[in-house]
Amino acid sequence: MSELTIDRVQTAILDVPLVRPHRFARTGMEAQPLLLVTLTTRGGVSGTGEGVVPGGPWWGGESVETMQLIIEKYLTPLLIGRRVDDIAGIQQAMNDVVNNNLYAKAAVEVALHDAWARNLCVPVHTLLGGLARTSIPVTWALGTESAAEVIAEAQGKLDAGLHTSFKLKMGAQEPAADVARVTEVAQKLSGVAGVRVDINARWDLLTSLQWLPRLAEAGVELVEQPVPGNEVEWLAEINAALPIPVMADESLRTPSDALRLVKLRAADVFSLKTTKSGGLRYTRAITEIAAAAGIPCHGGTSIEGPIGTAASLHLACALPGVTWGSELFGPLLMREELLTEPLRYADGALHLPDGPGLGVELDPSAVARFTRA
Ligand code: MN
């Protein structure tokens, strides 16, 4: 038996209120549910990971409730008694018992890294190979509201010096109206800020081929995932037809997805998410395939709270290929602080915290306040 042996696994679901409702194409949220997974070792050192999806199961089929069940019933029994540094072995064991459920596995995998790093008194990025950078630019996500509302919000962020790049969610309206809305925003922000769009897999091939060139003409600099995740051939056709980069998100969950996207030249940029891909190591494997293919990566978000955001930040700072910035704005969208010391956003970027593990500490009273009864 070792100090590193896992003695206890605890989970808690939090509902953290947002500064404003956040709209996606077909759903929205006023509070973001977060699942915290804490592993405690025999030596008394703990590590925490976050299970989080953007507002519900619409994106990938998992939710905080499914993650909690999978972790408590199926993953906890195989974690107890194993060492936190036995990460490859634990990943294999998790895959033997549970298919898919990559968000749930990511929460556990991040907790393993945090606990191991804290045992070694090193930051998580050391376990990932060391630093390529110490901060990452952060794009702000704008919702599906009217052009006037979106422009006002963007202008506020620009005036405050917080962000110089914006991503708009599309797909909530008919394409013609939606394209007119985004064109107005892109023209207004032209020369002042970058505008990207995320269609969250809501369009088909013909709609995409008809409307996306107009967005490119309007000055939109990047298009994210116009078509459903499985339709990689459609994505390749769209990518070949467009003068601006196409970014893969829903189409990219695993290293084999990355390989398929590369073979078909279906995307110019990859959106990485520790959450959707089952953790830090699988996400790093994706970036290595991307690097071999000359594809840059972007630090995507599932609207993580501070733990999940810190995990994604450590990874983005450890990976040389994450040259297309990030959208790690999750904690900025949350109305309440969960950490004893907040993550530092400044100069349009998120800065890596110091300290062992993920370098952040949860405030127990804040966690208790938002924990679901
Ligand atoms: Mn996306």
Side-chain angles (χ1 to χ4, degrees):
M1 283 300 169
S2 149
E3 296 277 288
L4 295 178
T5 303
I6 300 166
D7 249 358
R8 198 162 73 238
V9 179
Q10 290 161 293
T11 66
I13 292 177
L14 278 60
D15 293 292
V16 185
L18 303 183
V19 293
R20 60 151 164 79
H22 196 62
R23 296 287 318 163
F24 304 99
R26 297 283 191 272
T27 181
M29 60 178 182
E30 293 184 2
Q32 169 69 319
L34 305 175
L35 174 74
L36 295 180
V37 180
T38 302
L39 311 176
T40 305
T41 60
R42 188 143 302 166
V45 175
S46 293
T48 303
E50 197 182 281
V52 56
V53 297
W58 66 276
W59 199 99
E62 288 182 77
S63 70
V64 289
E65 296 84 4
T66 71
M67 287 186 256
Q68 188 175 43
L69 183 139
I70 288 287
I71 291 168
E72 290 191 347
K73 185 168 168 63
Y74 299 101
L75 302 183
T76 296
L78 65 85
L79 289 166
I80 302 290
R82 291 186 87 129
R83 291 166 52 121
V84 291
D85 61 349
D86 182 18
I87 296 179
I90 289 172
Q91 283 184 302
Q92 183 61 54
M94 291 198 292
N95 293 340
D96 288 344
V97 172
V98 177
N99 192 15
N100 298 326
N101 285 275
L102 297 175
Y103 285 92
K105 290 170 183 168
V108 171
E109 195 255 21
V110 167
L112 289 166
H113 280 89
D114 187 36
W116 184 21
R118 284 175 194 272
N119 264 286
L120 296 172
C121 291
V122 298
V124 164
H125 62 72
T126 299
L127 302 183
L128 300 171
L131 287 180
R133 60 184 68 77
T134 58
S135 69
I136 184 114
V138 179
T139 293
W140 182 249
L142 298 163
T144 56
E145 294 81 7
S146 72
E149 285 172 84
V150 161
I151 290 166
E153 187 174 334
Q155 199 60 56
K157 297 291 178 191
L158 283 166
D159 292 346
L162 292 172
H163 305 277
T164 57
S165 158
F166 299 96
K167 179 167 116 173
L168 276 87
K169 291 288 189 185
M170 293 185 73
Q173 304 175 35
E174 285 306 300
D178 218 4
V179 167
R181 181 183 75 98
V182 170
T183 298
E184 195 181 333
V185 175
Q187 285 169 349
K188 186 79 186 176
L189 297 178
S190 170
V192 184
V195 173
R196 306 166 175 191
V197 297
D198 187 358
I199 297 148
N200 276 124
R202 298 295 150 174
W203 285 0
D204 61 18
L205 179 59
L206 278 180
T207 307
S208 300
L209 291 174
Q210 181 181 358
W211 292 104
L212 292 178
R214 308 207 190 182
L215 291 178
E217 280 164 32
V220 167
E221 62 180 15
L222 173 143
V223 171
E224 181 173 340
Q225 195 71 42
V227 294
N230 285 331
E231 308 298 352
V232 181
E233 288 82 2
W234 297 2
L235 203 60
E237 206 169 317
I238 293 161
N239 195 28
L242 280 186
I244 55 173
V246 168
M247 182 156 77
D249 184 8
E250 280 88 338
S251 291
L252 175 63
R253 305 253 339 232
T254 66
S256 34
D257 291 339
L259 198 54
R260 191 167 162 229
L261 289 165
V262 163
K263 282 183 184 162
L264 291 169
R265 302 305 304 180
D268 299 313
V269 185
F270 283 176
S271 176
L272 308 175
K273 294 176 185 169
T274 308
T275 53
K276 71 177 179 181
S277 293
L280 301 160
R281 291 186 177 198
Y282 289 134
T283 308
R284 184 175 59 187
I286 288 171
T287 68
E288 281 158 6
I289 293 166
I295 293 174
C297 296
H298 167 78
T301 185
S302 300
I303 316 199
E304 294 98 321
I307 295 287
T309 299
S312 295
L313 175 61
H314 276 262
L315 187 67
C317 287
L319 299 173
V322 188
T323 53
W324 270 64
S326 83
E327 52 176 9
L328 295 176
F329 58 78
L332 295 176
L333 199 56
M334 291 174 195
R335 203 166 67 208
E336 306 288 341
E337 183 56 55
L338 297 178
L339 300 179
T340 55
E341 193 175 329
L343 285 165
R344 192 164 73 86
Y345 289 89
D347 315 315
L350 174 59
H351 298 262
L352 194 68
D354 287 327
L358 293 172
V360 294
E361 305 299 331
L362 286 163
D363 172 356
S365 68
V367 170
R369 195 156 64 244
F370 299 108
T371 296
R372 201 179 280 182

